[in-house]
Amino acid sequence: MTLASSSNHNAAAQGVLSQFAATGVQTCFHGRHINPQILADLDGRNWRLADYEARGGYQALRKILGQDGKPPRGSTGAPGMTPDQVIAEVKAGGLRGRGGAGFPTGLKWSFMPRQFPGQKYLVCNSDEGEPGTSKDRDIMQYNPHSVIEGMAIAAYAMGISVGYNYIHGEIFTTYERFQEALDEARAAGLIGNNILGSDFNFQLHAAHGFGAYICGEETALLESLEGKKGQPRFKPPFPASFGLYGKPTTINNTETFAAVPWLIRNGGQAYLECGKPNNGGTKIYSVSGDVELPGNYEVPMGTPFAKLLELAGGVKNAKEGRTLKAVIPGGSSSPVLPASIMMECTMDYDSIAKAGSMLGSGAVIVMDDTRCMVESLKRLSYFYMHESCGQCTPCREGTGWLWRMVDRIHNGHGRQSDLDLLNSVADNIQGRTICALGDAAAMPVRAMIKHYRHEFEALIQKNTSQAVAPQGATQATGRAAAQA
Ligand SMILES: Cc1cc2nc3c(=O)[nH]c(=O)nc-3n(C[C@H](O)[C@H](O)[C@H](O)COP(=O)(O)O)c2cc1C
Ligand code: SF4
């Protein structure tokens, strides 16, 4: 990239930021977080190494390498922490992966075959394509060293010497920011060979992604990183045994890595106590939709949804009578929940799962009482149809069927049989595909029909009461019905 095009990118980014400011959209330095660990004390300018170190940055790395001169917590031995001690601390903290599934991070790290004689890789998933999610780009833009330090600690714990951060293809300025931070860390001896004078080596590289949603799926990401078409692989084998270039690989989300330095600095127990049992620490929620102050909010795991809504300024135009209708609590692939259920939930993996949805990536999409659920589902279904990589038939064909059916209901051409057909197509996608994109397309359909069936029926009845059935017409079924 030339200097000129780089400055064009920066100018474009400034334009976008000032547009956000003009519309009142918040990023992450609004001061309305609760006990933040990753987004604490950020102002948009203090992202450099010196700023990060002033906030306690790289102390965790120094601690595990024994540079703080202190033995590990609860021990009288030599300074520093062994890889096993680091993994045990992460397990004790109850840190769960922030990329969507909430898989326990310490457990994932323990799957890495540390004694494998060949190359092992560490990969950060900064693809962040889930509609509604915008936290990882803020972390990389405004606190990039937290990701670098978290990756270095993870690499030490798993005996890995090479890592990549795969950054979404459409956020070039963020890629440049991360690269600049990486250069600073390398120059300071925090990344590279013999880190801080120890025998620990870790080479970290920024990799530019290709802007496709499916490249966020971990095995599609690995394919893309290898320079191939970003299509998911069959699992097993899992990346821990067959990952990048066929070598053992651990993949975590950006926010997962960014959470690690605080956890190691303050200890697993302190991290766990910040959240609730089995859901340690804080979580960054990207709150969007019909709220007064959309933005990224970092709050302890287990914070009531009602509190999060209040931080985001409440439902937009509440004074004009708008009320909360529904919430998609964890990104577009998580099932919608009606207001009455959401207002009883706390924001953590277990509470949202118990309510019938998923915390996912933490993208909280708020919908007010004017939202048409058929229209909302139509937009979601279009997205999944568009993003399907096409490898498996149920997903490639089924996502198109779903969209076409919802589209015709929305356009007033729905049939009485469509709701059963929609559920049946969703059933035939879910659990029958190579990757979870198929599930992600099916789950919102079933949830929308479950909670808002009356809205679909109202549109269908409007159509059938207006329609004059042609003589001798028979009910089309299956693919013919879906494609009509
Ligand atoms: C279609 C699809 C898209 C995904 N996109 C992302 C993404 O953008 N970022 C991410 O971290 N995980 C994404 N995931 C989840 C990853 O496959 C993987 O589980 C995650 O990166 C693991 O990190 P964690 O353990 O820290 O959560 C996606 C999964 C699917 C099925
Ligand atoms: S489920 Fe969809 S996106 Fe995933 S591999 Fe199959 S076709 Fe591709």
Side-chain angles (χ1 to χ4, degrees), residues 214 232 388-392 395 433-435 437-438:
I214 195 58
S388 167
C389 85
Q391 275 191 107
C392 11
C395 174
T433 55
I434 296 172
C435 88
L437 187 141

Side-chain angles (χ1 to χ4, degrees), residues 317-339:
N317 297 328
K319 283 195 192 121
E320 283 80 53
R322 296 284 63 81
T323 55
L324 182 67
K325 176 173 184 173
V327 178
I328 296 176
S332 64
S333 50
S334 65
V336 68
L337 291 174

Side-chain angles (χ1 to χ4, degrees), residues 96-105 108 123-130 135-136 168 213-219 221 232 235 251-257 349 361 384 435-438 440:
R96 294 173 64 169
R98 307 305 197 217
F103 192 82
T105 304
K108 184 185 270 192
V123 175
C124 178
N125 188 342
S126 297
D127 193 61
E128 195 170 53
E130 181 87 358
K135 64 189 175 66
D136 295 341
H168 191 88
Y213 174 63
I214 195 58
C215 288
E217 195 280 336
E218 57 188 15
T219 56
L221 185 155
K235 288 189 275 190
I251 308 180
N252 278 121
N253 170 256
T254 319
E255 186 186 351
T256 313
F257 284 123
Y349 294 100
S361 59
Y384 286 106
C435 88
L437 187 141

